[in-house]
Amino acid sequence: MDKKNALRAGALAAGTTLMMLLMSSPALALTRDDGDDPGTGLSVVETLGLYVLAPIALFAVIAGLVMVLDRSHPDHLVKTPGTKTKAKVKAGAKA
């Protein structure tokens, strides 16, 4: 029964993909539409800056803010049962 479902899912996925490829003709991208006014293209440096460097910089800023503003305390960490943990020792406590 599992083979039948897998075959059906594969046929559905292949059929859907084929229909989408046939319905979207790349040749239509060459014809200009009314009001189509493309701007100037991006240079290689602009493209790399916009699609590579800007996301990396944004990620670094967010990660840095998370690390700097992290106020978690070691006592609040969730510990797995059965693991050995250090006993809490209060300063000035006499044994």
Side-chain angles (χ1 to χ4, degrees), residues 21-85:
L21 285 173
L22 291 174
M23 300 212 34
S24 62
S25 176
L28 294 176
L30 297 176
T31 60
R32 303 294 293 266
D33 291 332
D34 292 337
D36 189 15
D37 188 22
T40 58
L42 295 175
S43 69
V44 174
V45 175
E46 291 171 335
T47 304
L48 288 176
L50 184 62
Y51 294 109
V52 176
L53 297 179
I56 291 173
L58 187 63
F59 177 80
V61 167
I62 292 171
L65 286 173
V66 167
M67 288 190 296
V68 167
L69 299 175
D70 182 24
R71 301 207 185 273
S72 63
H73 197 270
D75 293 339
H76 298 159
L77 294 176
V78 177
K79 297 181 178 58
T80 307
T83 59
K84 295 181 181 180
T85 58

Side-chain angles (χ1 to χ4, degrees), residues 9-24:
L12 180 67
T16 304
T17 304
L18 183 63
M19 288 304 294
M20 292 298 288
L21 285 173
L22 291 174
M23 300 212 34
S24 62

